[in-house]
Amino acid sequence: MANKQKILIVDDDSNIAELISLYLTKECFETMIAGDGETALLLADSFSPNLILLDLMLPGIDGYQVCREIRAKSSTPIIMLSAKGEIFDKVLGLELGADDYMEKPFDSKELVARVKAVLRRYKPAASTTEDSDIKCVEYPDLVINQTNYSVVYMGRTIEMPPKELELLYFLASSPNHVFTREQLLDQIWGYEYIGDTRTVDVHIKRIREKISDHANWKIATIWGIGYKFEVRQ
């Protein structure tokens, strides 16, 4: 029997945390709960979750700081949970490295669907099997491998959360093809995303901070439309 995937639930409201745990346990996930940011950081190491559900309003270390510290050393997928519905809060969460953002109160079925969607797209290197199944694109000084979720730029491995890597891989797999923000949301997130197309802009910004334009290629903004991975002939 395959090992259960592990979800770390970080929320100081024990009733909400227990309810989320119940939903996920019914879907055959293994869960653990942290009631504060400090405990969350410890369990992120010791429990080694496959995904983290992270509330923003926590005692002591808040969710933003927890996300920042986890992202500094790990690409474990993070879905932020918050009663804050302002665009600023969503964008800040995404800029810090979250892969998704859900507003409270949320529907249990939607939460489970989003957890499964993120996990489907995040496959650690250990899951790599046959070479024929490898999804990899290569350009001068850039290798994007979606099979083992790695990016090598200028000979150096670049840490990228799943959504950033998937977005970069998708664009690079169709060089010089222009995609709208709506198309990218649909292709990368894989379900009806509750938010706005600025999500794509945030992820593109984070990718550009890690990978600069190259003499042979770049991520180009097509104003009023979207983006393309431009390859110079």
Side-chain angles (χ1 to χ4, degrees):
M1 186 180 204
N3 291 331
K4 292 182 178 181
Q5 290 184 297
K6 298 186 288 187
I7 311 294
L8 175 59
I9 303 164
V10 186
D11 200 310
D12 63 331
D13 187 322
S14 59
N15 291 327
I16 291 177
E18 291 291 348
L19 196 57
I20 293 173
S21 178
L22 179 62
Y23 296 147
L24 295 173
T25 300
K26 286 182 177 179
E27 297 292 328
C28 296
F29 291 105
E30 180 183 349
T31 65
M32 187 165 286
I33 295 172
D36 58 74
E38 187 174 355
T39 303
L41 291 173
L42 292 173
L43 290 176
D45 291 328
S46 62
F47 183 53
S48 299
N50 299 99
L51 181 143
I52 299 170
L53 291 172
L54 177 62
D55 185 41
L56 292 181
M57 304 302 290
L58 298 170
I61 305 173
D62 67 18
Y64 292 120
Q65 184 61 29
V66 171
C67 182
R68 186 182 289 110
E69 293 192 26
I70 290 174
R71 267 298 160 265
K73 56 185 178 181
S74 170
S75 59
T76 301
I78 297 172
I79 299 178
M80 283 189 168
L81 308 175
S82 177
K84 293 183 175 183
E86 298 297 325
I87 293 299
F88 170 80
D89 297 303
K90 294 180 181 179
V91 171
L92 178 57
L94 293 168
E95 285 182 337
L96 290 175
D99 298 280
D100 204 346
Y101 188 111
M102 289 191 71
E103 292 179 37
K104 294 179 178 179
F106 45 76
D107 180 79
S108 60
K109 291 181 180 178
E110 182 185 355
L111 174 65
V112 171
R114 291 199 184 202
V115 166
K116 290 181 177 179
V118 171
L119 287 172
R120 277 198 303 271
R121 288 163 176 76
Y122 181 72
K123 299 186 182 301
S127 66
T128 303
T129 53
E130 300 178 8
D131 290 346
S132 60
D133 295 329
I134 292 177
K135 294 181 179 180
C136 183
V137 290
E138 296 187 32
Y139 292 96
D141 297 316
L142 179 66
V143 180
I144 311 158
N145 189 322
Q146 191 171 284
T147 301
N148 64 13
Y149 273 70
S150 67
V151 175
V152 178
Y153 170 62
M154 304 293 286
R156 183 167 60 91
T157 299
I158 304 296
E159 288 294 328
M160 276 194 187
K163 284 291 181 289
E164 289 179 33
L165 188 145
E166 290 158 16
L167 180 56
L168 177 60
Y169 177 84
F170 182 77
L171 289 169
S173 296
S174 300
N176 297 320
H177 185 104
V178 178
F179 293 97
T180 67
R181 290 169 175 82
E182 290 80 6
Q183 287 174 322
L184 293 171
L185 274 174
D186 182 61
Q187 290 291 329
I188 306 305
W189 276 256
Y191 53 86
E192 187 178 355
Y193 185 75
I194 309 299
D196 65 19
T197 54
R198 193 174 176 188
T199 299
V200 175
D201 299 334
V202 170
H203 282 73
I204 291 290
K205 176 187 174 184
R206 290 188 347 220
I207 293 170
R208 284 171 168 164
E209 289 172 349
K210 299 170 184 176
I211 295 178
S212 304
D213 291 348
H214 192 274
N216 300 96
W217 49 263
K218 70 174 183 177
I219 299 173
T221 300
I222 310 302
W223 297 108
I225 301 176
Y227 299 95
K228 71 174 179 178
F229 190 88
E230 183 178 296
V231 177
R232 300 179 178 89
Q233 304 298 327

